[in-house]
Amino acid sequence: MLVIGIDPGTRSTGYGIVRVDGPRIACVEYGAIQNAARLSVWECHVRIYDGIAKLTQEYALNAAAVESQFFFKNVLAVLRIGEARSAAMLPLTRAGVPIVEYAPRRVKQAVVGRGSATKPQVAAMVMTLLNLRAPIEPEDASDALAIALCHAHTRRIEERLP
């Protein structure tokens, strides 16, 4: 099973693909769709859409996982992240890839064991779980891999339930 995790953002949308084979989970690819500050928000959305569409064409994805939106004091930030999420989710939906959402605390709980874990703790655990030697850059890619791992662990637990 191939799972893509997505950490959406207008200027940087992280992605991470993991292969789940029984108890083994391996990193397939990770990175980020980076958008220059000179681009309009709409140009960024097109680049996000095209980047995720390319990944759906390259890989036979079985599932997509994304963090559920949480609330900020800045309403504009929530709006922009929602727009980036839509741009990333549309090509997956069009390709028929099921999408699952996870709360940020649940992702941290699944990967680190504590819902209040820090970003550096999550990044270190992602490296350990996927047996990666070098730090994951950019940070959005590390977050995306954590989201994919959360889905893999959640699915494994759900399969064990009667």
Side-chain angles (χ1 to χ4, degrees), residues 16-70:
I17 300 173
V18 298
R19 179 181 314 281
V20 181
D21 185 16
R24 292 184 301 273
I25 302 174
C27 180
V28 175
E29 181 178 342
Y30 64 84
I33 301 160
Q34 302 282 3
N35 291 309
R38 64 175 166 72
L39 295 176
S40 73
V41 171
W42 312 115
E43 290 169 309
C44 294
H45 293 162
V46 170
R47 288 177 44 80
I48 294 166
Y49 180 95
D50 289 346
I52 300 299
K54 183 179 179 210
L55 291 169
T56 62
Q57 292 166 358
E58 284 182 39
Y59 297 98
L61 300 171
N62 302 101
V66 64
E67 270 188 345
S68 57
Q69 216 168 346
F70 49 95

Side-chain angles (χ1 to χ4, degrees), residues 106-130:
R106 182 156 180 205
V107 172
K108 292 173 184 179
Q109 176 71 38
V111 174
V112 179
R114 287 190 7 249
S116 61
T118 65
K119 279 192 176 278
Q121 290 171 326
V122 172
M125 199 61 182
V126 167
M127 284 179 57
T128 300
L129 291 170
L130 294 175

